[in-house]
Amino acid sequence: MAEGQDPPRQVAVVTGGGQGIGRSIALALAGDGFAIAVAARRAGPLEEVVAEIEARGAPAIAVVCDVTDPESVIALQQSVQHKMGSASVLINNAGIAESHKFVDHPDDLWQRMLEVNLTGTYRVSKVFVPGMIEQRWGRIVNIASTAAKVGARYLAAYTASKHGVLGLTRALAAELGPHNITVNAICPGYVDTPMTQASIENIIARTGRTREEALAFIHSTNPQGRLIHPEEVAQVARMLVGRAAGGISGQSINVDGGAVMF
Ligand code: NDP
């Protein structure tokens, strides 16, 4: 399909779409006319997002899926194909974050972080790319992190997994360009989501800091002294999957108030 033409079908898959950043992206893309499939392990939050989307008059389905389970990921693709048709947009957003100091870093934490954040992104991309190749149109957006670009204390596994996501983004952009598929990453700083709330609780529990002190630390990582709103990340995703972004691929866009400038 030539540059600038509309995609043949507008079906978007959002992993981790039941809450936080994934939920905001799902709602934003539904507003742009996409049929939405949200996928995660827990059905309850997914169904709430589907109800929100349907209340706005857009089609949506919830698919229970664990990105660490290859069969579950294949079933996700089959379910989307059966109910909505080939996905033209994939938002790899499912992720987990846990911290630990390195000297006695648990091996299972390392494995889990890589399995969800990096291998999950690989696995879900792998099942949806063939349909995009067939349509000669596709957009993949990987939700990485500023931790894909810089290191931080106590976050070895998370940082390694997100650097890997950025490497995968660039490799796929190079390989899938001839098929008219773009692959980009978004790198947020701390976003106001349940994941960041858990990080704040963790700081309080491990350091004895007050909630205000923990929040002040999180804010201090952003030159604007605040949390990023999930909607701000969603707006960048909207832009990247839009028709006008056909020439943007292999890029990583920071949404962090200017903390990281490369
Ligand atoms: P949340 O913890 O709020 O949401 C994570 C989502 O991922 C949930 O819907 C969760 O649903 C899903 N998920 C987790 N594990 C799996 C799995 N194995 N299979 C399928 N789905 C899974 O996180 P955020 O919205 O904050 O983060 C979304 C993404 O953005 C993540 O990749 C995160 O690393 C990244 N990010 C977040 C930042 C932040 O400050 N919050 C900053 C930078 C990047 P369920 O539990 O039901 O499976």
Side-chain angles (χ1 to χ4, degrees), residues 124-194:
V124 179
S125 301
K126 202 170 162 198
V127 299
F128 284 105
V129 160
M132 294 180 186
I133 290 176
E134 206 171 272
Q135 296 180 84
R136 284 205 49 73
W137 203 97
R139 298 272 197 268
I140 300 174
V141 177
N142 297 327
I143 309 303
S145 166
T146 50
K149 297 185 170 177
V150 293
R153 288 191 297 177
Y154 313 131
L155 283 170
Y158 185 74
T159 302
S161 72
K162 293 297 188 177
H163 274 64
V165 167
L166 197 46
L168 178 64
T169 301
R170 291 169 173 155
L172 292 188
E175 186 166 337
L176 300 177
H179 301 287
N180 198 28
I181 298 169
T182 68
V183 189
N184 291 288
I186 302 176
C187 297
Y190 279 108
V191 184
D192 190 4
T193 70

